[in-house]
Amino acid sequence: MAEANPEPVPEANPEPVPEEKLNHFLLGPLKLKTTLDNVKRTVFVVIDRNVSTDEETGAVIVGADCTLQVFGYPKSSSNLPRLSHRVKDEYVTQENLLYDLTLKSSTVLSLESYESKNKTPKLALVLPSTIKGVRQEDYIFKAYNTSKPAALIELKTILRDGPFKYMMQVDVFISPDQEIPAGLALINVFSSHLGVVNRHNKAKPVTRYPIFYKQKKRRNTIPCAHIETRPLPLVVTYEELNHFDPLEAGLRFEVANKMHFLRCDHETALEVIQHFERHKYGEAWPPVYFVGGDPDDDLESVPSTDSRSTASEDIHIPVPGQSLDIRPRYEEDAHIYKNEFITRRCETDPKEGFMANIGVFGGKPTVGGDWLLQVFICPLKKSQEEIRKEFANQQREVVCTLRAFQVVRDVSVSISLKQGWSHEGDKMMEVSKEELHSALEGSSQFLHDICLQHEDVTKKRFRGSIIVRQGMEKTLTLNILTDYEQNSDSLPGDDSDACVPTAETPADGKTHSWPLPFSKRKRMCELLDVECIYGNDWRLFAEKIGLDCQKLPVIANSNGSHTENVLTLWKQGHTDKPYDKPTLVEILQEMGRPDVIQDLQLIEPFVKSFMVLTVTDSSIQVGWEPGSLDLTHCNLYINRTARMDVLLCKKYTVKIEEKKFTFRELQPNTQYSISIEPLVQLVRGERKPVEARTRPKESAAIPVEN
């Protein structure tokens, strides 16, 4: 019997098979559309890159940079069959060259792959622009047809092996109230920089957002104040990046003392941060974080990986070196009001969380010294008078008045300061919803200390703000305003400080002359003197107009109307806001006090015209033309004219910019009374009625047999 052939024994150290990678590519045909001229062309590309071989391992090393030349087909081939669009070497001429691009890994912005409506593959290449006034250049390549996507796929593979090799791309949602516009975007993390760019893919990304982002939006929510934004892309190098941290519902990064918040799921945020740290720290990754001091100190300051901070720990609050301008900027002829009361969601019963009060207490500031502030959070059921007495015993007065807000998710607090003051420590205080709830149930309060250092003694007027966020959304802003040399022991009626010109007082020393009639002034005092459990009273009014916080305890302990004293100080020029009617309306709208605006008749919402547009047997369409420029919504009422019963009247709330609305499912040949009620936020205007009758229902012809 013949012996079987023995199996070959593998060599102990086989020689590596050399890997071949080209350095020159000729790809086409492709379709191209750019933002430079917005013209669709049929093109082909030529790519050249550096390829070398490692002498020790024999591995092929592809260079990070490459050149990409875009050529158009010659005009002589336009009338030929489609087979002529095959790429030929004789087409590569200087005459057919359209774009000559140099792609470097340190400057590229984005490479996005997606599909068109007819499922044709597309590839968007985003590069920084060299043209003045243009921030980016988009080159959108598209497969010649659905049956020939090979050239586009190979183009993407070459770019991903070269300048986009270390790019990590994540779909994010930019939270509102920031300098960059809100909405869907992409964040691309490279080896030397990161960029936030607009998405070319219009389809909604599949992102695992937290459950509270999947719930339906709150209805009747007034739009936030207009904040001037700068267009994308936002490109940040690692040297400019101060902080880059994950959050429960996304991530945040700080650039030039300004925080930016991006929504994404927590797991993706951790991957992005890990990708960033690998490139930033290199071989020293993962880094060892020290809470303070020199890394050569003892390791007791290094936090344990499994330890979690409790609500009673002292967590530092961020203090950027320059204040963030959070004041709303309005157009010259229109106002978009931001209702703080609605933002805090105090008008509804908390179903997903719990209600709490938040305020700031502190002592008297001294020039060149430290000023200790305490952020105070307590349950809503606790009396505000009791809270003030407790802090008065500790020689602490109100800096920011207490106000109620609804806690539905994790709370983060940051502080914004102007130049001349500083605060050392972490950039943000964070406490989870569960920790905060347990702290309020245990000790009935949550305290956090902030120590501010007065560095520049030449600056005496302090202006700062504490911003409270829940997840990514801004809940409220606590403004801190004071003068380090202010005499806080006098009121407007005293001779010592009757009309002292301040930095905001007119140069001639005269007070403002806008007349508020005595009857309206008295009614305003009656409404705002009543202390509200939500803080929407004279105390918040004094904070909104920019009154020195050292005046608040003096006004609270004085006789007479507190609102009258605040109005007198405002009229004398002791505040930051001008004493005029538009400013008063704006402040009352922010406070969520439309009742004061309504009773004082400060604004009267109205529409120019209200008419019937179309009528059918089951519907009536009405239209209107806005009269006031600051109208936000309108209420539409409809009822049968023959039965003017309030219980049968139906109400619809519509945005004012829609300018028309259709009532459906009406009875045929019936007279209806319709009226419109314009609204400026929650301030109601006078109703304007119209009447219309639906058409009779047409009877269908019934065939009859002979």
Side-chain angles (χ1 to χ4, degrees):
M1 185 175 179
E3 295 182 359
N5 294 330
E7 296 182 359
V9 180
E11 299 180 5
N13 296 319
E15 296 182 359
V17 179
E19 182 183 5
E20 294 184 2
K21 288 196 175 181
L22 302 176
N23 58 357
H24 180 78
F25 299 89
L26 191 64
L27 305 176
L30 296 169
K31 294 182 179 180
L32 175 65
K33 181 180 178 181
T34 67
T35 56
L36 301 177
D37 51 12
N38 202 22
V39 177
K40 295 181 180 180
R41 298 184 178 93
T42 302
V43 299
F44 65 93
V45 297
V46 176
I47 302 178
D48 293 300
R49 63 183 183 181
N50 296 325
V51 178
S52 60
T53 306
D54 192 350
E55 297 180 356
E56 297 180 358
T57 62
V60 178
I61 302 175
V62 179
D65 303 338
C66 67
T67 60
L68 188 148
Q69 294 178 320
V70 182
F71 293 88
Y73 284 90
K75 297 180 180 180
S76 59
S77 64
S78 60
N79 298 326
L80 299 178
R82 290 188 177 181
L83 294 177
S84 65
H85 286 310
R86 295 173 181 173
V87 182
K88 299 180 181 180
D89 293 335
E90 56 265 24
Y91 292 165
V92 183
T93 60
Q94 192 68 25
E95 182 182 358
N96 298 333
L97 180 63
L98 299 177
Y99 305 104
D100 190 359
L101 307 175
T102 301
L103 307 183
K104 296 183 178 181
S105 59
S106 58
T107 58
V108 291
L109 299 182
S110 179
L111 183 69
E112 183 183 359
S113 179
Y114 60 104
E115 292 182 349
S116 61
K117 294 182 180 180
N118 58 353
K119 304 301 181 180
T120 305
K122 302 178 76 173
L123 185 67
L125 174 64
V126 182
L127 303 176
S129 177
T130 57
I131 303 175
K132 186 177 181 181
V134 181
R135 301 180 62 89
Q136 70 180 43
E137 298 176 1
D138 297 352
Y139 298 86
I140 303 175
F141 294 93
K142 184 179 179 181
Y144 189 70
N145 51 43
T146 55
S147 61
K148 295 182 179 181
L152 188 70
I153 295 175
E154 190 173 358
L155 175 61
K156 176 185 175 182
T157 304
I158 296 170
L159 295 180
R160 289 293 295 181
D161 289 342
F164 295 92
K165 182 176 182 180
Y166 299 105
M167 180 189 74
M168 183 176 183
Q169 190 173 76
V170 176
D171 289 306
V172 294
F173 185 86
I174 304 175
S175 298
D177 299 338
Q178 301 187 72
E179 284 194 340
I180 50 180
L184 293 173
L186 286 173
I187 180 170
N188 302 312
V189 183
F190 295 89
S191 58
S192 60
H193 64 285
L194 63 89
V196 183
V197 298
N198 291 312
R199 295 176 71 251
H200 289 82
N201 188 4
K202 302 303 180 182
K204 187 176 181 181
V206 181
T207 308
R208 301 183 301 275
Y209 291 135
I211 188 172
F212 46 78
Y213 289 120
K214 297 181 181 179
Q215 297 171 355
K216 61 182 180 180
K217 297 181 179 179
R218 286 174 277 164
R219 298 180 180 179
N220 300 330
T221 302
I222 305 304
C224 295
H226 173 73
I227 295 180
E228 184 179 356
T229 59
R230 54 195 182 104
L232 295 178
L234 175 62
V235 184
V236 183
T237 61
Y238 290 165
E239 290 75 14
E240 301 172 341
L241 199 63
N242 298 334
H243 290 270
F244 196 29
D245 307 312
L247 297 175
E248 178 192 10
L251 51 89
R252 69 166 181 260
F253 62 93
E254 181 183 357
V255 181
N257 297 324
K258 295 180 181 180
M259 287 282 187
H260 300 285
F261 295 84
L262 306 176
R263 295 182 191 171
C264 63
D265 58 274
H266 184 64
E267 296 179 358
T268 305
L270 292 177
E271 294 178 1
V272 172
I273 299 298
Q274 189 179 32
H275 186 78
F276 156 73
E277 290 181 344
R278 283 177 178 172
H279 292 293
K280 182 177 181 179
Y281 297 103
E283 298 179 355
W285 189 86
V288 179
Y289 295 99
F290 291 84
V291 174
D294 197 336
D296 297 333
D297 297 342
D298 55 6
L299 297 178
E300 295 180 357
S301 60
V302 181
S304 176
T305 56
D306 57 350
S307 62
R308 297 186 64 184
S309 59
T310 59
S312 60
E313 290 181 347
D314 185 14
I315 310 174
H316 295 286
I317 291 183
V319 181
Q322 190 175 4
S323 65
L324 185 65
D325 190 6
I326 57 174
R327 293 177 296 176
R329 303 185 179 95
Y330 302 111
E331 302 292 339
E332 296 181 357
D333 54 351
H335 290 279
I336 304 177
Y337 299 106
K338 184 177 77 171
N339 192 325
E340 178 189 315
F341 187 74
I342 292 180
T343 306
R344 290 187 274 142
R345 300 178 64 182
C346 295
E347 79 283 0
T348 58
D349 182 44
K351 298 179 181 180
E352 303 173 353
F354 56 93
M355 300 295 292
N357 266 326
I358 185 171
V360 180
F361 293 82
K364 185 176 181 180
T366 57
V367 178
D370 297 342
W371 189 22
L372 181 63
L373 300 177
Q374 289 182 320
V375 180
F376 178 78
I377 303 178
C378 67
L380 188 63
K381 60 184 178 181
K382 198 168 184 178
S383 172
Q384 298 194 16
E385 186 64 29
E386 179 184 354
I387 297 172
R388 286 195 295 267
K389 289 182 179 180
E390 291 179 2
F391 281 95
N393 296 333
Q394 305 173 10
Q395 296 182 351
R396 298 281 188 270
E397 299 293 346
V398 178
V399 177
C400 292
T401 180
L402 287 167
R403 62 198 75 179
F405 73 108
Q406 182 176 345
V407 182
V408 295
R409 58 190 74 110
D410 294 351
V411 178
S412 60
V413 181
S414 60
I415 188 169
S416 174
L417 299 176
K418 286 189 176 181
Q419 294 182 356
W421 287 265
S422 64
H423 168 65
E424 297 180 356
D426 295 336
K427 290 298 182 181
M428 182 166 291
M429 183 273 288
E430 291 180 313
V431 57
S432 65
K433 172 186 170 183
E434 293 75 16
E435 292 176 352
L436 182 59
H437 189 263
S438 60
L440 297 185
E441 286 185 346
S443 59
S444 299
Q445 66 181 17
F446 176 82
L447 280 174
H448 173 66
D449 294 340
I450 309 172
C451 187
L452 304 180
Q453 292 86 27
H454 189 195
E455 295 179 343
D456 190 354
V457 296
T458 60
K459 298 181 179 181
K460 304 298 193 312
R461 297 187 64 81
F462 175 81
R463 296 295 179 267
S465 58
I466 295 178
I467 303 171
V468 181
R469 293 180 180 268
Q470 295 191 52
M472 296 293 179
E473 298 179 357
K474 184 187 297 183
T475 303
L476 71 156
T477 302
L478 306 172
N479 295 317
I480 306 175
L481 307 101
T482 188
D483 193 336
Y484 271 50
E485 293 184 349
Q486 177 70 28
N487 182 12
S488 61
D489 299 331
S490 59
L491 282 176
D494 300 339
D495 296 335
S496 59
D497 194 24
C499 189
V500 180
T502 60
E504 284 75 23
T505 308
D508 55 2
K510 297 181 181 180
T511 58
H512 300 272
S513 59
W514 171 62
L516 182 62
F518 175 77
S519 59
K520 295 183 179 180
R521 191 183 185 103
K522 181 180 178 181
R523 180 56 180 165
M524 181 177 176
C525 295
E526 292 175 353
L527 295 173
L528 294 183
D529 280 343
V530 180
E531 294 190 357
C532 177
I533 188 175
Y534 299 121
N536 294 27
D537 48 35
W538 69 271
R539 298 164 299 178
L540 184 59
F541 178 69
E543 179 184 323
K544 291 292 184 181
I545 65 174
L547 187 64
D548 194 328
C549 63
Q550 299 184 60
K551 290 287 186 182
L552 294 180
V554 181
I555 296 175
N557 297 326
S558 63
N559 298 325
S561 172
H562 302 326
T563 308
E564 179 66 30
N565 292 330
V566 174
L567 287 173
T568 304
L569 285 171
W570 187 20
K571 186 176 181 180
Q572 292 178 356
H574 292 268
T575 64
D576 288 344
K577 296 292 184 70
Y579 181 76
D580 53 22
K581 182 178 178 180
T583 305
L584 178 60
V585 173
E586 176 186 334
I587 291 173
L588 293 174
Q589 292 279 29
E590 292 180 3
M591 292 174 56
R593 294 302 299 265
D595 55 328
V596 181
I597 301 175
Q598 196 93 42
D599 291 357
L600 270 60
Q601 298 179 351
L602 296 176
I603 56 176
E604 297 180 1
F606 69 95
V607 291
K608 291 183 180 179
S609 59
F610 182 56
M611 75 288 293
V612 178
L613 300 180
T614 58
V615 177
T616 64
D617 58 350
S618 61
S619 66
I620 298 177
Q621 187 182 59
V622 294
W624 59 87
E625 185 67 25
S628 307
L629 293 176
D630 48 2
L631 291 179
T632 56
H633 295 72
C634 65
N635 291 332
L636 295 173
Y637 302 90
I638 185 171
N639 198 357
R640 294 172 57 181
T641 307
R643 299 181 61 183
M644 293 299 291
D645 191 350
V646 179
L647 299 178
L648 299 178
C649 182
K650 294 183 179 181
K651 174 184 173 182
Y652 302 88
T653 302
V654 188
K655 292 183 179 180
I656 197 68
E657 59 266 17
E658 294 183 5
K659 295 187 178 181
K660 60 182 178 180
F661 183 78
T662 304
F663 299 95
R664 304 185 185 277
E665 299 181 0
L666 304 180
Q667 296 182 6
N669 197 20
T670 305
Q671 187 79 8
Y672 286 92
S673 297
I674 307 172
S675 60
I676 185 172
E677 183 181 52
L679 300 174
V680 177
Q681 199 162 290
L682 297 177
V683 180
R684 303 172 182 270
E686 185 179 357
R687 294 189 186 184
K688 182 175 288 189
V690 294
E691 290 191 359
R693 177 182 291 274
T694 55
R695 294 180 179 178
K697 189 173 183 180
E698 297 180 0
S699 58
I702 303 176
V704 181
E705 297 180 358
N706 295 332

